[in-house]
Amino acid sequence: MADFTFAETDIHILGEGMSACDYVDQRINAFSLTACKDAFLMTDLDDVLNKHLCWLSNLPRVVPFYAVKCNNSPPILKILESVGAGFDCGSQGEIEQVLSLGVTPSKIIYAHPCKQESHIKYAEAHGVQMMTFDSEEELFKISRCHESAKLVLRLAVDDSKALVKLSVKYGAKLASSRQLLQTAQNLDLEVIGVSFHVGSGCTDSNAYRQAISDARCVFNIAEELGFQMTLLDIGGGFPGKNDFKLSFSEIAADINKSLEEFFPLACGVSVIAEPGRYYVTTAVTLVANVIAKKVILEELPPLSGDQLTVASRTFRTDGKIANKTMMYYLNDGVYGSLGILLHDLAQSSVLPYPHRKAKPDEPVYPCVIWGPTCDSVDVLVKNALLPEQQVGDWLLIDNMGAYTHCTSSAFNGFKKTPIYYVMSRDTQLRIQLPSPHILNDDVILISTE
Ligand SMILES: Cc1ncc(COP(=O)(O)O)c(C=O)c1O
């Protein structure tokens, strides 16, 4: 394994019996001793490792090539490298990052069917050979820039049951695959396999079955033309959240059956996948601070005594009964880590909850939760019900690992939310990360920036 240093980050090793939640408590307590109440993302690396173990037991035949675009935090990439995963890169930048961690080029698939020529040349110069294509133009480009590329034909598949559809943008129709293979042959390019993506947030495992069957058809055509294809890439689309309507184990069971039917072990075809959100969604929690608050009192017609006990109703200073709605402003929002609310149909809502434990019978109030920028589109939740929060209190949001920090901006002068990493000693030993950049559990660093 190549030497590895965390340039931007340190990992906090959890002491015996300590959990990632305890770490959040500790950090919040430490913040209370300072003026700094910046939001942070807590990444639990044990969770990433557990996802990998679950992958191995459910899909033993399928080698994961993690989709770097989803969350390119160096410790996550390093853990996945250390357990033997490969990487799906979509650009020169991602290839550079993965190579810089010591990953061998053969563990990278450049899985973007429409690439910039200079990025193809970079891949060629650095020994990255596997790459996808879905058009003749792409084949012409690749033959100019990377003659020894090992090509994977990306198929458009039925993604009608997915929350994020990708085949509208990428993938060749099954009907055009013969023509594409012939063009590759005429250009003397090597085509080693087929890939597809059933769409993110796939709600029907039959989509994988249909796509695997389509891939079989392309393998058959390729055989007729004299290609010896050896790789099937079943893409991403595996659920990130644990409570997603279609579970990972159900999808995996159906994939295993379909592989057995269309690509039995004896056929010698290697199978890879490009999971993104599956690996990282649940590993990350956003911890954000209430930086401002407004109480909105809206006048109501007189109510009976019973109705007056409803917590969200109150008296205005002039004695009239009013609906009480809270507006909270957090220090992270849609231009920061929560861009998913605007662009990720597979995770278009979040559920903030208070760090402070509510007292028994504490009333809850309807609230709108805003992000920090001056833009009114910067809203996290329009109708949450929470116990009353004060400025300086903390709200937590789970399932924040996928397409969050990596898509955030510094719009309006708000800095990107920093990430802190935790893992248990067991995980540290298991993946054998070097220790100089790892903090002991009695050390908590508070950023003063
Ligand atoms: C080519 C490719 N592979 C893999 C992924 C990862 O998808 P997911 O996060 O749904 O697993 C994506 C997501 O856009 C993609 O475009």
Side-chain angles (χ1 to χ4, degrees):
M1 200 194 328
D3 191 23
F4 179 61
T5 57
F6 297 108
E8 306 146 24
T9 53
D10 288 310
I11 298 177
H12 180 96
I13 299 297
L14 298 169
E16 196 61 35
M18 198 181 156
S19 69
C21 295
D22 298 331
Y23 173 79
V24 169
D25 293 346
Q26 273 194 11
R27 190 164 270 280
I28 286 178
N29 289 340
F31 271 135
S32 69
L33 306 173
T34 74
C36 169
K37 293 209 174 349
D38 288 345
F40 61 95
L41 290 156
M42 187 277 299
T43 298
D44 180 0
L45 297 170
D46 286 15
D47 197 74
V48 177
L49 184 62
N50 288 337
K51 283 289 167 64
H52 182 67
L53 299 177
C54 178
W55 180 280
L56 293 183
S57 62
N58 281 276
L59 285 173
R61 211 184 137 187
V62 184
V63 180
F65 275 54
Y66 170 67
V68 175
K69 62 182 85 63
C70 184
N71 182 332
N72 68 341
S73 294
I76 291 179
L77 301 185
K78 192 59 197 173
I79 284 199
L80 292 175
E81 187 266 346
S82 71
V83 295
F87 295 91
D88 149 12
C89 295
S91 62
Q92 175 173 333
E94 288 184 355
I95 296 174
E96 277 171 13
Q97 188 189 8
V98 169
L99 289 176
S100 76
L101 298 179
V103 171
T104 121
S106 63
K107 293 302 268 298
I108 294 175
I109 179 163
Y110 189 175
H112 197 313
C114 301
K115 298 172 277 302
Q116 185 173 317
E117 267 198 36
S118 60
H119 294 201
I120 303 174
K121 285 182 183 152
Y122 178 87
E124 195 264 350
H126 291 82
V128 174
Q129 291 192 302
M130 265 195 293
M131 57 185 64
T132 59
F133 73 100
D134 64 1
S135 67
E136 291 203 320
E137 275 310 323
E138 196 68 11
L139 287 172
F140 298 141
K141 255 192 298 177
I142 294 170
S143 84
R144 283 197 296 272
C145 308
H146 197 337
E147 283 175 349
S148 61
K150 296 186 182 305
L151 298 179
V152 177
L153 170 54
R154 166 94 172 253
L155 265 190
V157 293
D158 178 8
D159 55 9
S160 57
K161 301 281 170 48
L163 301 174
V164 180
K165 299 175 198 331
L166 293 167
S167 289
V168 286
K169 187 167 179 185
Y170 298 117
K173 293 213 163 63
L174 185 53
S176 63
S177 54
R178 180 180 294 273
Q179 174 65 42
L180 285 172
L181 290 171
Q182 272 167 343
T183 304
Q185 204 162 38
N186 294 341
L187 293 167
D188 214 11
L189 290 170
E190 185 186 6
V191 183
I192 61 160
V194 175
S195 76
F196 57 78
H197 195 305
V198 296
S200 287
C202 173
T203 60
D204 180 1
S205 59
N206 203 37
Y208 286 94
R209 182 186 160 72
Q210 185 54 51
I212 291 170
S213 147
D214 288 355
R216 178 75 257 172
C217 294
V218 182
F219 268 71
N220 293 345
I221 295 169
E223 254 165 52
E224 279 169 36
L225 295 175
F227 284 101
Q228 293 287 310
M229 296 213 300
T230 52
L231 185 84
L232 172 66
D233 174 356
I234 63 172
F238 306 92
K241 287 166 75 172
N242 292 333
D243 59 358
F244 191 69
K245 60 174 89 159
L246 179 62
S247 74
F248 174 62
S249 55
E250 281 172 86
I251 294 179
D254 282 355
I255 288 176
N256 289 333
K257 265 192 242 150
S258 307
L259 289 178
E260 203 38 53
E261 185 177 340
F262 297 107
F263 293 91
L265 211 49
C267 77
V269 170
S270 305
V271 187
I272 68 170
E274 300 164 4
R277 67 186 67 236
Y278 165 80
Y279 268 96
V280 291
T281 300
T282 55
V284 182
T285 299
L286 171 65
V287 185
N289 197 255
V290 178
I291 54 168
K293 167 187 176 181
K294 284 180 205 162
V295 180
I296 310 295
L297 296 179
E298 181 201 345
E299 190 182 332
L300 289 173
L303 296 169
S304 69
D306 280 1
Q307 286 168 300
L308 289 180
T309 61
V310 175
S312 63
R313 301 189 175 216
T314 188
F315 289 102
R316 297 192 329 184
T317 46
D318 58 8
K320 292 199 173 127
I321 300 159
N323 244 354
K324 184 168 164 177
T325 300
M326 308 294 182
M327 299 230 281
Y328 299 120
Y329 298 76
L330 300 188
N331 51 1
D332 201 351
V334 301
Y335 290 101
S337 314
L338 285 146
I340 46 171
L341 297 176
L342 299 181
H343 60 66
D344 188 0
L345 296 175
Q347 201 183 342
S348 52
S349 66
V350 288
L351 200 63
Y353 58 94
H355 174 253
R356 176 180 68 76
K357 295 271 169 300
K359 298 185 197 96
D361 304 330
E362 193 173 332
V364 290
Y365 296 93
C367 53
V368 183
I369 304 179
W370 300 96
T373 65
C374 295
D375 193 336
S376 61
V377 85
D378 192 5
V379 59
L380 280 59
V381 189
K382 291 187 178 150
N383 51 5
L385 270 182
L386 291 181
E388 184 161 1
Q389 302 296 301
Q390 307 302 338
V391 169
D393 283 347
W394 297 88
L395 293 182
L396 275 59
I397 303 177
D398 292 334
N399 298 314
M400 282 291 293
Y403 307 102
T404 50
H405 185 266
C406 55
T407 63
S408 65
S409 74
F411 172 57
N412 212 180
F414 292 97
K415 285 186 186 148
K416 286 187 172 204
T417 296
I419 311 175
Y420 302 126
Y421 301 91
V422 300
M423 70 169 141
S424 63
R425 254 181 238 294
D426 277 358
T427 298
Q428 182 195 5
L429 291 175
R430 193 159 192 156
I431 59 173
Q432 294 185 339
L433 285 178
S435 56
H437 306 281
I438 289 179
L439 303 179
N440 287 320
D441 54 19
D442 52 348
V443 184
I444 294 234
L445 293 184
I446 300 294
S447 162
T448 48
E449 285 169 272

